[in-house]
Amino acid sequence: MLERYKNSYLSYFLMYNFYYLSWAVFSALISVYLLDKDFKASEVSLVVSTSFLTSMIFQPVIGMFSDRYDVKKVNFVLFTLAGIGGLAFMFASSLIGYSFVLTLINGTNPVMEKIASSSPYQYGKIRIWGTIGYATGSWLAGMIYQLISPSAIFICFIITMILCI
């Protein structure tokens, strides 16, 4: 059964859809969330911009690990750490956790693109699920934020990271 699933279109669909859905759920409303937590706009903008800088710095390191070790195992570790970081961020009163999680998610992006482009399926037929996942995640984040609670977004993030793995 597991052999049939391995390298199937369904496995690429789940990976891509839930990777981008997780990313959107975590990041789409982060500024609103942090402002609601009484952080200053200057602090929020600093942490968001810093997360992209740290992502850029750590992408080569993640790429090196992905080249040296099994890509799936590296992604498993990074996505697990991102899920733990999302859980910690939900309870934290500092802004550091956001940069940590986004560094892991952004840092794995080139690896995800490599996986999609080296699959037996056309790149566009896999990548479209990432676009749909991100759009769905942005909408889902708004619905969860409004109807359930702002911190429930991070529970959703962890669940979708697990589905991606």
Side-chain angles (χ1 to χ4, degrees), residues 1 11 33 35 45 48 54-55 76-77 81 83 87 95 104 116 128 145 163:
M1 170 84 176
S11 68
Y33 176 80
L35 289 170
S45 63
V48 170
T54 57
S55 297
F76 174 80
V77 169
L81 288 173
L87 182 63
L95 298 171
L104 296 175
I128 189 70
Y145 198 95
L163 291 170

Side-chain angles (χ1 to χ4, degrees), residues 73-136:
K73 289 178 182 174
V74 171
N75 278 359
F76 174 80
V77 169
L78 294 174
F79 292 157
T80 301
L81 288 173
I84 292 167
L87 182 63
F89 184 72
M90 184 170 70
F91 297 108
S93 59
S94 84
L95 298 171
I96 302 293
Y98 176 75
S99 290
F100 172 74
V101 172
L102 212 54
T103 296
L104 296 175
I105 294 172
N106 287 340
T108 55
N109 195 288
V111 176
M112 295 294 285
E113 296 298 322
K114 180 181 176 186
I115 290 170
S117 63
S118 64
S119 79
Y121 307 100
Q122 287 182 347
Y123 175 77
K125 290 185 178 179
I126 295 171
R127 186 60 181 83
I128 189 70
W129 293 114
T131 304
I132 292 169
Y134 198 90
T136 304

